[in-house]
Amino acid sequence: GAGMGMTAPVSITVFPAEDGSLQQKVKVSLRIPSAFQANPPCPSDESIKIEERQGMTIYSTQFGGYAKEVDYVNYASKLKSTLGSEAAYRKDFYLCNGYDPPMKPYGRRNEVWFVKE
């Protein structure tokens, strides 16, 4: 019953298939605002879980526009190519992040994150 407003980024964990396309399994994560961090309200929907995300080191790329699945897949592929075979990162998932409300038409920020192993 507590209104917390929207936070950024909205982070979507995706699981790539062998061909680079995204599987239908996704996990959407929203940051709990600072005022609620110490004692977050309990979700009334059992499909919503509160998780603490541990610190991580990431490899990231940023792009603009209204991001679609194909954009995230393309930028993930570009990031993979840029990193080459030397960088050690998780291959079983990556994170797609959006920072802007839907009504913001210009100057949008999106990112793809690979989590360093």
Side-chain angles (χ1 to χ4, degrees):
M4 294 187 288
M6 193 63 190
T7 61
V10 172
S11 187
I12 302 172
T13 305
V14 298
F15 303 88
E18 292 282 329
D19 64 359
S21 65
L22 303 183
Q23 298 180 36
Q24 293 302 308
K25 176 181 164 183
V26 298
K27 178 179 173 181
V28 178
S29 302
L30 304 170
R31 184 182 179 282
I32 294 176
S34 298
F36 295 94
Q37 286 282 320
N39 189 22
C42 292
S44 56
D45 182 331
E46 64 185 47
S47 69
I48 297 172
K49 309 283 185 243
I50 295 178
E51 297 179 352
E52 185 171 337
R53 185 180 279 178
Q54 299 300 316
M56 64 181 110
T57 301
I58 61 165
Y59 297 104
S60 176
T61 188
Q62 182 177 325
F63 61 99
Y66 282 96
K68 298 181 259 341
E69 180 178 325
V70 67
D71 300 314
Y72 284 116
V73 170
N74 287 339
Y75 278 92
S77 178
K78 289 177 186 179
L79 182 57
K80 182 178 178 180
S81 293
T82 300
L83 293 173
S85 59
E86 298 299 312
Y89 59 91
R90 297 284 305 263
K91 309 283 192 295
D92 55 331
F93 73 92
Y94 59 89
L95 296 116
C96 303
N97 300 280
Y99 288 82
D100 304 295
M103 64 291 258
K104 182 178 178 184
Y106 303 105
R108 298 183 64 79
R109 177 179 169 189
N110 310 290
E111 295 176 347
V112 171
W113 295 355
F114 289 172
V115 178
K116 185 176 179 184
E117 288 187 320

